[in-house]
Amino acid sequence: MTIRAAANLLTREVKRADLGDNLVQLERQGKSGAEYRRRLHLLEEVVSDKQEAAAGLEPGDADLTSEARLARIDAARRALRSQYTARVAKRSLVVLFGLAIVGAFYLIFMQ
């Protein structure tokens, strides 16, 4: 449940608050909250891994220097920008081709 809750911002915040509240209640009762601490740590790890993946980093890249991390992030952004540009160009060609076909049909059948 903890990993599934990390997938969405709202559920992640609710899960974090729930685990924190449960941990506080157990500690007030003098019980061990090790399981809740482990789940909170797991939630933070999953969130951190997702943020690094979104930035173009692999989970093992934590030992890279800040310059290498920035270079990797920039490379991932350039790749995404290139993919987006190619997608826009393809859609534009499809639209133009469709307009040409409609124009040709108009000229042929409307005379």
Side-chain angles (χ1 to χ4, degrees), residues 19-58:
L19 290 171
D21 184 52
N22 291 343
L23 178 63
V24 168
Q25 287 181 16
L26 281 177
E27 288 175 344
R28 282 183 186 160
Q29 296 171 2
K31 297 179 182 176
S32 172
E35 180 64 24
Y36 290 102
R37 276 191 216 90
R38 186 185 69 77
R39 287 183 184 180
L40 278 167
H41 183 69
L42 177 64
L43 183 67
E44 296 304 321
E45 280 184 18
V46 170
V47 169
S48 174
D49 288 348
K50 285 179 184 264
Q51 289 172 345
E52 287 181 351
L57 296 172
E58 299 294 324

Side-chain angles (χ1 to χ4, degrees), residues 79-95:
L80 287 173
R81 191 175 301 126
S82 165
Q83 291 172 0
Y84 176 73
T85 303
R87 192 176 315 134
V88 168
K90 287 177 187 175
R91 287 182 181 167
S92 298
L93 285 175
V94 168
V95 168

